[in-house]
């Protein structure tokens, strides 16, 4: 049976809950899925309770543990590496790790918190952030997919604190080659139901028997897999590449705007 599962009013709530339940790869293989301002705050609280007695109150270093604010780590370079250090610890040192009985989410929130700390090391960018902001809302129509401060679409990651997570160079490559690294959570899917209905969109969650898809118009569809005639998964990004539609000056302005989206500044 095919049905449009829910009307728009409650979709937002449900999606919030569901994103968390999309099957994820194990921590070792992916980028951090928990990086909103709220995640960073939760990470900060977790840090206060579990880590500050060794690493100092704001991770600036204590009697028993090193400074973690420098943006560089001896034992890890990627987010996945930090995840492993925080959950498993470092053998033969006092760094014991928070343990496997913690949810992956808590560990990722700690990673997000640590990553947010080196955002104090800011670099100069050439573009004009106010022009970037106009492009973001206007010509780029970025808000149809992305949220900033709880406003916008849910078809891409929340960008409220993107400037804490990505350098200007990384932001530029996000805009030029969105397909370079796409987390599983942003894969899309196209299905054809027995009755001929075709739906394409974000794979919100997928179980053994059913799958939910959010289409471009924000309708949430729910299908039983046995009723589907066809289904294809696309592991590329639904985000367009912007190298052609923007001049290099406009790209610089967009990057300047995005880079300024930081927890520290607002
Ligand atoms: C009992 C003290 C202690 C506690 C508690 C502790 N750490 Fe550590 N941590 C250390 C020590 C000591 C090291 C350095 C190990 C080494 O390289 O010799 C370390 C290293 C690290 C590193 C790697 C730093 C680098 O440069 O690679 C990270 C990341 C880290 N800790 C995060 C955390 C987090 C997050 C928590 C809380 C969940 C935590 N630690 C709790 C003592 C502690
Ligand atoms: C059709 C939906 C869509 C539109 C329109 C869109 N994006 Fe995206 N965006 C995505 C998706 C999905 C991802 C995650 C997958 C990926 O990395 O490509 C993403 C990723 C990003 C990232 C990386 C985020 C991270 O957490 O690393 C940035 C930055 C970004 N988009 C900025 C923009 C900007 C700026 C615009 C407008 C010029 C825009 N996007 C337009 C869907 C969209």
């Amino acid at each position: 049976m095919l049905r449009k599962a829910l009307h728009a009013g409650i979709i937002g709530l449900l999606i919030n809950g569901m994103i968390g339940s999309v099957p994820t790869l194990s921590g070792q293989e992916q980028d951090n899925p928990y990086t909103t301002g709220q995640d960073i705050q939760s990470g900060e609280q977790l840090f206060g309770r579990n880590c500050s007695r060794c690493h100092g109150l704001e991770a600036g270093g204590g009697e028993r543990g090193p400074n973690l604010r420098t943006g560089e780590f001896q034992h890890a370079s990627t987010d996945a590496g930090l995840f492993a250090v925080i959950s498993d610890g470092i053998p033969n040192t006092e760094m014991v790790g928070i343990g496997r009985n913690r949810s992956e989410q808590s560990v990722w929130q700690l990673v997000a918190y640590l990553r947010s700390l080196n955002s104090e090391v800011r670099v100069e960018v050439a573009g004009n952030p106010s022009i970037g902001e106009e492009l973001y809302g206007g010509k780029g129509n970025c808000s149809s997919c992305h949220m900033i401060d709880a406003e916008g679409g849910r078809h891409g990651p929340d960008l409220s604190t993107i400037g804490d997570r990505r350098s200007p160079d990384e932001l530029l490559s996000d805009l030029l080659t969105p397909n370079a690294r796409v987390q599983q959570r942003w894969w899309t899917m196209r299905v054809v139901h027995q009755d001929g209905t075709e739906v394409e969109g974000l794979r919100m969650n997928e179980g053994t028997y059913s799958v939910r898809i959010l289409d471009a118009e924000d309708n949430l569809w729910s299908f039983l897999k046995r009723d589907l005639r066809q289904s294809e998964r696309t592991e590329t990004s639904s985000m367009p590449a912007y190298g052609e539609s923007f001049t290099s000056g406009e790209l610089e302005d967009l990057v300047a705007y995005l880079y300024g989206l930081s927890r520290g500044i607002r």
Side-chain angles (χ1 to χ4, degrees), residues 188-210:
T188 57
M189 198 166 192
R190 192 184 76 93
V191 300
V192 184
H193 188 262
Q194 274 167 358
D195 71 7
T197 313
E198 266 188 58
V199 174
E200 188 168 1
L202 261 190
R203 197 178 58 117
M204 296 310 292
N205 90 0
E206 183 172 357
T208 316
Y209 304 109
S210 64

Side-chain angles (χ1 to χ4, degrees), residues 106 211 242:
S106 318
V211 60
Y242 286 101

Side-chain angles (χ1 to χ4, degrees), residues 31-32 35 135-136 139-146 155-159 162 165-166 170-171 174-175 177-183 186-188 202 236-240 242 246 254 257-258:
D31 289 338
N32 192 346
T35 53
L135 291 167
Y136 180 93
K139 181 174 161 191
N141 197 21
C142 318
S143 51
S144 63
C145 288
H146 291 284
H155 297 269
D158 188 310
L159 301 179
I162 188 73
R165 287 190 280 128
R166 311 280 286 155
E170 290 170 326
L171 288 168
D174 287 336
L175 297 175
T177 52
N179 284 330
R181 32 152 235 145
V182 180
Q183 287 177 24
W186 303 112
W187 289 354
T188 57
L202 261 190
T236 51
S237 179
S238 55
M239 174 158 152
Y242 286 101
F246 287 120
L254 263 175
Y257 170 61
L258 295 170

Side-chain angles (χ1 to χ4, degrees), residues 96 126 195 231:
V96 282
D195 71 7
S231 92

Side-chain angles (χ1 to χ4, degrees), residues 36 41 75 79 198:
T36 63
Q41 261 172 24
H75 296 273
D79 282 1
E198 266 188 58

